[in-house]
Amino acid sequence: MSESVVTESRPDTAAGSADRVRPGPVLLTAAGVRVRLGRREILHGVDLSVRSGEIVGLIGETGSGKTTFARAALGLVPTTDGSITVGREATQVTGLHGSRLRAFRRTGAVQYVFQDPLRSLDPDLTVGRSVAQGLVLRGGLGAAQIETGVSEALHAVGLEPDLTGRTPGQLSGGQRQRVAIARALAVSPQVLICDEPVSALDAAHRNHVLQLLNGLRRDRDLGLLLISHDLGSVAAVSDRVAVLYRGSIVEEGPTAQVLAHPEHPYTRMLLASAASLHAGDAGAAQRQALRREVLAGI
Ligand SMILES: Nc1ncnc2c1ncn2[C@@H]1O[C@H](COP(=O)(O)OP(=O)(O)OP(=O)(O)O)[C@@H](O)[C@H]1O
């Protein structure tokens, strides 16, 4: 069942095993991360790591806590326990506040790419100014250096320099997501967190962006956390997969192993749902029944 999810969703030049790189040093480490939002604890002690040159897929249904984890890694939500360290210097993000947190953000060590570039890109800013934002914020760079940084970032995502004068509304969805990725790359991040980066795109653009991410981690030694509820996308490019269920990682391992031999009932349920959706099965009632049956046993 999982085979069809993996194979048919793989982008054209895909991340076959020969294309994969040997992972380097750990660039993101989460240990026992707990996050409370309002009255509820959302993350219940999450352990996760991402190495340089590696794509780790974080999968789970809506509400499982994927975005909350990403926000914690950026220092945007406080943790109540555990630690998150980022980058080769292993900067401890948890516990950073105020000016120290702002200084960490300015380093650009960890960057976030959102699902919907139309919402994350300022509609009034040109492509050039959007991509320059992080470089300007970092400070200390002259206009020529910023211009070079913008051109290099656009080149890295395969966008022509003549797009710099356009606004997001004048671009296709795929181009917009490339701009958002270029903006993140411009500040030379060590870790890139992509939160549902292709779910707003059609199949062709989705494959192009997945290929792009796959190439970037290889060429730039990025550690890439790919957050998605789309197993096909994760299967296509991730080296490892972590499965988040109600705020806890219930299974983690090499992608091929987890997808072919899922051990946790929740992972099996996710795979079964994806496979039936993939086959065009409109049996929503059956899926719901399966879901109830599986979740009752967890
Ligand atoms: N600011 C907040 N205050 C209270 N609860 C929140 C807040 N933000 C998120 N939550 C809750 O935390 C839980 C996890 O949300 P989160 O967005 O992290 O899930 P997710 O796995 O990323 O889901 P999706 O795939 O829909 O983005 C949800 O139940 C959500 O309602």
Side-chain angles (χ1 to χ4, degrees):
M1 217 157 16
S2 53
E3 272 303 299
S4 66
V5 179
V6 176
T7 315
E8 292 178 31
S9 303
R10 195 174 279 279
D12 304 338
T13 61
S17 53
D19 204 21
R20 297 258 158 96
V21 288
R22 189 183 293 271
V26 177
L27 294 180
L28 174 71
T29 306
V33 171
R34 290 180 179 272
V35 170
R36 176 174 286 280
L37 295 174
R39 291 165 160 238
R40 278 178 55 214
E41 186 174 82
I42 307 296
L43 298 178
H44 312 298
V46 169
D47 296 328
L48 192 71
S49 67
V50 184
R51 290 176 173 275
S52 148
E54 182 180 48
I55 299 183
V56 175
L58 181 61
I59 61 175
E61 292 176 300
T62 290
S64 55
K66 305 181 298 295
T67 298
T68 301
F69 177 77
R71 298 185 72 218
L74 287 150
L76 294 174
V77 293
T79 52
T80 50
D81 201 2
S83 74
I84 301 178
T85 55
V86 171
R88 290 183 173 78
E89 305 75 25
T91 305
Q92 176 113 3
V93 181
T94 37
L96 285 183
H97 299 287
S99 59
R100 290 179 61 215
L101 181 57
R102 285 194 293 279
F104 167 72
R105 291 220 189 104
R106 274 199 301 275
T107 67
V110 53
Q111 291 292 299
Y112 191 49
V113 174
F114 296 82
Q115 170 179 349
D116 183 358
L118 256 192
R119 286 169 66 183
S120 65
L121 296 172
D122 184 330
D124 298 324
L125 279 192
T126 61
V127 167
R129 290 187 64 188
S130 276
V131 176
Q133 269 177 329
L135 293 169
V136 172
L137 190 69
R138 179 178 279 179
L141 296 177
Q145 287 168 301
I146 291 175
E147 199 176 322
T148 304
V150 169
S151 316
E152 281 176 2
L154 289 175
H155 179 73
V157 300
L159 287 177
E160 297 296 328
D162 59 6
L163 292 182
T164 47
R166 296 204 197 164
T167 54
Q170 296 170 316
L171 303 173
S172 71
Q175 285 174 323
R176 279 195 288 267
Q177 195 55 293
R178 281 169 190 267
V179 171
I181 295 169
R183 183 178 58 177
L185 289 179
V187 292
S188 305
Q190 299 183 48
V191 175
L192 194 58
I193 300 178
C194 296
D195 195 349
E196 306 280 3
V198 295
S199 52
L201 304 179
D202 62 29
H205 285 123
R206 189 177 63 211
N207 283 353
H208 287 144
V209 169
L210 289 174
Q211 286 170 28
L212 170 66
L213 295 177
N214 186 48
L216 288 174
R217 60 81 179 259
R218 185 187 54 218
D219 300 341
R220 297 189 165 227
D221 277 340
L222 283 171
L224 207 152
L225 184 66
L226 177 60
I227 294 176
S228 184
H229 59 258
D230 173 20
L231 283 176
S233 301
V234 168
V237 293
S238 300
D239 304 283
R240 284 191 297 120
V241 174
V243 183
L244 192 62
Y245 172 61
R246 292 188 178 174
S248 299
I249 301 282
V250 295
E251 183 157 6
E252 187 273 330
T255 304
Q257 182 187 313
V258 170
L259 297 188
H261 307 288
E263 287 185 359
H264 196 276
Y266 180 68
T267 316
R268 288 203 284 274
M269 191 273 297
L270 281 182
L271 287 169
S273 304
S276 60
L277 278 175
H278 199 71
D281 174 3
Q286 276 180 334
R287 279 200 300 281
Q288 278 303 324
L290 173 68
R291 178 181 161 73
R292 274 196 298 276
E293 187 186 325
V294 170
L295 295 186
I298 295 178

